[in-house]
Amino acid sequence: MNKTLIRICLATAIAAALPVSTLAQDNSDATPTVDDAAAFITEVEQFQREFGEYSARIAWTQATNITFDTNWLSTKVSAEGTEKGVAFANRAKDFNDVELPAEMRRKMEAIKLGLNLPAPTRAGAAGELAEINTRMGSTYATGKIELDGEMVPRNDLEAMMGTVRDPEKLAEIWTKWREVPVALREDGGNMKSDYAAMVALSNEGARELGFDDVGSMWRSRYDLPPAEFAAETDRLWGQIEPLYKELQCHVRAELNQEYGDEVVPLDQPIRADLLGNMWAQSWGNIYDLVGPESADPGYDLTELLVENDYTPLQIVETGEAFFSSLGFEPLPQTFWERSQITKPADREVVCHASAWNLDGKDDIRIKMCTKVNADDFNTVHHELGHNYYQRAYQDQSPIFQGGANGGFHEAIGDMVALSITPEYLQTIGLLDEVPDASSDLGLLMDRALDKVAFQPFGLLMDKWRWQVFSGELSPEEYNDGWWALRTQYQGIRPPVERNDSDFDPGSKYHIPGNVSYTRYFIAHVLQFQFHQAACEAAGWEGPLHRCSVYGSKEVGERFNAMLEMGASKPWPEALEAFTGSRQMDGTAMVEYFAPLMDWLQEQNEDRACGW
Ligand code: X8Z
Ligand code: ZN
């Protein structure tokens, strides 16, 4: 009874805000019909088109200029969107027992899952949740630490973690960046207390919608029951884990050679600050310390970019040229006018890279604080992949304007970046001489340090959140639980002692930003499946790590066929359209690295692996 009333009240509120006459009739007592469902879906689509653009423009304005006022606007529009999203999700439930054509049923299910973080329907809750989230996001984005008398932002610290080799300095940067999530505000709160409040509120919202908790809601987005999806991620991890363990063992031994027994004892997990990355999530930056001496590819992408005076803009143009070579239309002029490619000097922005479509059509942009290095060269391709995907599915219903699943969206640009081979770098004039086959192990090691090393991190980020949302971890246990997973899956440990008042997960963008992370784990599996299929389509016969699909219009066409589908079909259909398979499968990744696996096993033969 109450629910019906709330629904009618909110429907009225939406009607007032919408200049359209497509609202479904109020059928409070009658059993809803297929026509009612069609009218409801039209209403949601209309709302998503208009409000989506309005809220995206506010979100962009805030992310590229963080001030009191843009935070205020962003909070307000986020609360409005959440309230309406919750109302829509509740109304969609009313059609649960109505037999609908497959496409309408899929749209209804998507509407129920539409919100990233649902708020409870009680008055004020959506506003409170939005306020907490804006505060956490801007705390992260504007966080700075004092280093040698200067205040240094995260973007610069991240680059330093890749180049500094002094363990004391690394520990200092690592530890100080982790003070940001626990720094107390004047009101006595901090990111950690905000996070706990966010968990309680959004869980309450998820339960109102019929989910066990937010974690279960997030796991429901993969066309599988949530428990089956969790089992599927474990299955995929099981395929990759043996390779990761060999890699971890070898890297630890090499770091032991570099830093000695005291800093890198051979019977313990690796110190997290020594792996060339603020979060130890990808290790490509320490290639010089751990790569096979006998198989040096003879070049370093960062050095090539710097030597060739590449600018951030040129990096983006190079990325665009790759997609053009596959047959994609050039990026619109507005992309170049409106994107944020480098960090503005005069204001606070969200530096963490992202790709946007502001109007559901052609107003696509990236937002980065691009530096001229290999990491950002790859990230530019990653972001452009999002933009080309967004543009490809723009004619789908707004409800289907998304990836086949989150992992697909994250895998598109990464698949293209797997084609950045020495041969490709030579084609675009960055590299003079292509190394011969004796460098293959080096090339594979370089890739493995980024891609294989990433997988346990990609998995555990959400394992931690699933435990948090289910209540298995209380706020006092957040940090211990985090390190239990970091140690179990990655075999790493903190450089200094941690305690239960710390909030180390908060040092990673996607935690205060509430961006689910399993998508990246899935993407790392998919991108190797895509690459394998693409190379086959291009007629490539050599080793996969030497295959570049640059210039292949045929690959581009098949790729586009998958991208155009957006989220309109269950992901196995999209996967099948491009690869011929309906299964996510880690063996593509394992096969890609097979020669490296053999070599690692030889190297590790007399070492005591494990932690
Ligand atoms: O967040 C990102 C992208 C934006 S979707 C830059 N990535 C993850 C990360 O940085 O942690 C890409 C790889 C993993
Ligand atoms: Zn991404």
Side-chain angles (χ1 to χ4, degrees):
M1 180 61 134
N2 266 342
K3 262 202 174 151
T4 314
L5 273 178
I6 289 165
R7 197 179 69 240
I8 293 166
C9 290
L10 285 177
T12 316
I14 295 163
L18 274 179
V20 284
S21 53
T22 49
L23 281 176
Q25 291 297 308
D26 171 25
N27 278 315
S28 346
D29 296 326
T31 311
T33 64
V34 176
D35 282 350
D36 292 334
F40 169 62
I41 287 170
T42 304
E43 178 192 338
V44 173
E45 288 173 335
Q46 180 73 10
F47 176 80
Q48 288 192 353
R49 269 186 212 105
E50 299 194 358
F51 187 81
E53 179 171 1
Y54 168 67
S55 61
R57 294 201 188 283
I58 290 179
W60 174 271
T61 305
Q62 188 263 359
T64 56
N65 186 9
I66 305 172
T67 68
F68 173 84
D69 294 316
T70 58
N71 279 343
W72 188 93
L73 283 166
S74 178
T75 303
K76 187 172 162 61
V77 79
S78 155
E80 270 174 46
T82 299
E83 273 177 7
K84 285 170 185 165
V86 170
F88 283 145
N90 273 313
R91 284 173 61 195
K93 282 197 304 191
D94 294 345
F95 296 94
N96 279 355
D97 297 328
V98 183
E99 209 168 301
L100 298 174
E103 186 179 285
M104 281 172 77
R105 175 48 55 207
R106 188 164 174 80
K107 286 183 179 175
M108 280 301 176
E109 296 310 308
I111 293 168
K112 285 192 260 174
L113 287 166
L115 282 171
N116 190 41
L117 290 181
T121 42
R122 64 186 157 78
E128 201 185 324
L129 184 61
E131 214 168 283
I132 292 170
N133 284 329
T134 302
R135 197 163 53 216
M136 287 199 294
S138 65
T139 300
Y140 183 91
T142 61
K144 290 176 194 58
I145 66 169
E146 182 278 320
L147 218 53
D148 304 320
E150 269 183 57
M151 295 308 286
V152 187
R154 197 265 315 150
N155 196 41
D156 294 345
L157 301 171
E158 195 177 331
M160 286 170 83
M161 291 300 292
T163 52
V164 171
R165 294 289 185 254
D166 168 12
E168 268 181 47
K169 195 78 203 164
L170 285 167
E172 182 189 356
I173 302 170
W174 188 98
T175 309
K176 283 185 172 170
W177 176 244
R178 281 152 182 80
E179 288 165 11
V180 169
V182 289
L184 286 182
R185 300 187 301 264
E186 274 175 12
D187 67 3
N190 60 13
M191 190 201 286
K192 184 175 186 173
S193 61
D194 275 345
Y195 195 82
M198 177 282 294
V199 169
L201 261 178
S202 58
N203 265 342
E204 197 186 328
R207 285 175 191 135
E208 277 186 17
L209 293 180
F211 296 96
D212 288 347
D213 57 56
V214 171
S216 169
M217 191 171 171
W218 285 6
R219 291 190 296 279
S220 301
R221 296 214 167 91
Y222 288 83
D223 298 308
L224 284 171
E228 270 178 47
F229 176 66
E232 179 68 351
T233 59
D234 287 336
R235 180 184 71 82
L236 295 168
W237 169 237
Q239 295 181 299
I240 296 151
E241 189 180 14
L243 174 57
Y244 177 75
K245 286 194 159 156
E246 297 292 341
L247 182 68
Q248 194 270 4
C249 186
H250 174 72
V251 165
R252 180 172 61 187
E254 294 295 319
L255 290 178
N256 169 274
Q257 292 283 306
E258 171 75 16
Y259 294 114
D261 286 339
E262 202 156 307
V263 178
V264 186
L266 286 171
D267 57 354
Q268 281 192 41
I270 306 173
R271 239 178 75 168
D273 55 334
L274 304 178
L275 291 158
N277 178 278
M278 180 62 93
W279 307 277
Q281 68 180 66
S282 46
W283 307 346
N285 288 324
I286 56 161
Y287 179 86
D288 57 319
L289 302 181
V290 304
E293 263 164 47
S294 55
D296 187 352
Y299 73 93
D300 170 296
L301 183 52
T302 299
E303 278 169 23
L304 290 184
L305 293 167
V306 172
E307 280 164 14
N308 284 276
D309 295 324
Y310 258 56
T311 61
L313 180 64
Q314 252 176 300
I315 295 180
V316 183
E317 287 168 347
T318 305
E320 182 198 33
F322 198 116
F323 282 90
S324 297
S325 87
L326 298 178
F328 288 90
E329 289 293 311
L331 293 165
Q333 186 54 30
T334 51
F335 171 92
W336 303 102
E337 290 161 5
R338 298 173 190 167
S339 284
Q340 176 196 294
I341 292 175
T342 52
K343 185 176 182 175
D346 57 346
R347 57 185 196 261
E348 297 282 4
V349 300
V350 177
C351 267
H352 188 86
S354 53
W356 300 56
N357 185 344
L358 283 281
D359 64 354
K361 292 289 171 199
D362 289 318
D363 192 352
I364 47 181
R365 314 175 191 177
I366 59 168
K367 180 188 60 56
M368 288 185 61
C369 298
T370 314
K371 290 185 185 287
V372 179
N373 61 33
D375 277 350
D376 277 359
F377 193 78
N378 282 310
T379 301
V380 161
H381 289 76
H382 175 95
E383 298 308 333
L384 290 181
H386 286 309
N387 277 158
Y388 283 97
Y389 206 171
Q390 289 162 336
R391 193 170 62 173
Y393 58 58
Q394 62 169 293
D395 291 331
Q396 293 286 347
S397 150
I399 297 173
F400 289 152
Q401 291 194 10
N405 68 41
F408 279 65
H409 228 304
E410 300 301 338
I412 302 308
D414 281 10
M415 173 207 116
V416 166
L418 285 178
S419 279
I420 302 172
T421 56
E423 290 75 4
Y424 166 70
L425 293 173
Q426 190 189 40
T427 308
I428 62 167
L430 262 176
L431 184 64
D432 292 334
E433 226 175 287
V434 171
D436 65 22
S438 67
S439 293
D440 278 4
L441 275 177
L443 291 167
L444 283 171
M445 175 64 94
D446 194 40
R447 275 262 145 80
L449 289 170
D450 276 337
K451 304 289 183 181
V452 179
F454 179 82
Q455 283 305 56
F457 182 74
L459 188 67
L460 76 82
M461 278 276 284
D462 280 355
K463 282 208 180 274
W464 180 79
R465 277 190 285 209
W466 295 346
Q467 291 178 1
V468 166
F469 282 121
S470 76
E472 195 180 329
L473 291 176
S474 68
E476 297 71 42
E477 295 163 331
Y478 280 175
N479 218 55
D480 281 355
W482 171 252
W483 279 106
L485 290 167
R486 292 271 264 173
T487 302
Q488 179 189 342
Y489 284 95
Q490 288 186 280
I492 63 169
R493 67 189 167 95
V496 299
E497 207 181 311
R498 313 308 289 154
N499 62 55
D500 60 19
S501 62
D502 288 316
F503 186 49
D504 295 336
S507 76
K508 175 69 194 164
Y509 170 79
H510 304 70
I511 300 294
N514 287 307
V515 183
S516 67
Y517 211 83
T518 313
R519 63 183 66 198
Y520 302 108
F521 172 79
I522 297 292
H524 277 63
V525 172
L526 287 175
Q527 63 190 259
F528 286 93
Q529 282 187 265
F530 292 163
H531 181 69
Q532 198 175 49
C535 292
E536 213 169 284
W540 177 258
E541 284 176 357
L544 277 177
H545 66 280
R546 291 282 188 153
C547 164
S548 178
V549 298
Y550 180 73
S552 170
K553 299 280 185 293
E554 196 185 324
V555 169
E557 235 166 75
R558 279 180 57 169
F559 207 30
N560 196 48
M562 176 173 78
L563 302 190
E564 277 176 354
M565 292 164 74
S568 65
K569 296 276 157 41
W571 62 259
E573 283 184 43
L575 187 58
E576 192 172 25
F578 190 60
T579 68
S581 163
R582 297 176 65 87
Q583 276 251 322
M584 295 195 276
D585 187 1
T587 55
M589 187 180 202
V590 169
E591 279 169 21
Y592 183 101
F593 291 108
L596 179 73
M597 179 65 161
D598 290 343
W599 183 82
L600 286 170
Q601 281 172 330
E602 261 170 48
Q603 301 299 305
N604 291 334
E605 208 167 28
D606 298 323
R607 293 170 176 157
C609 293
W611 52 86

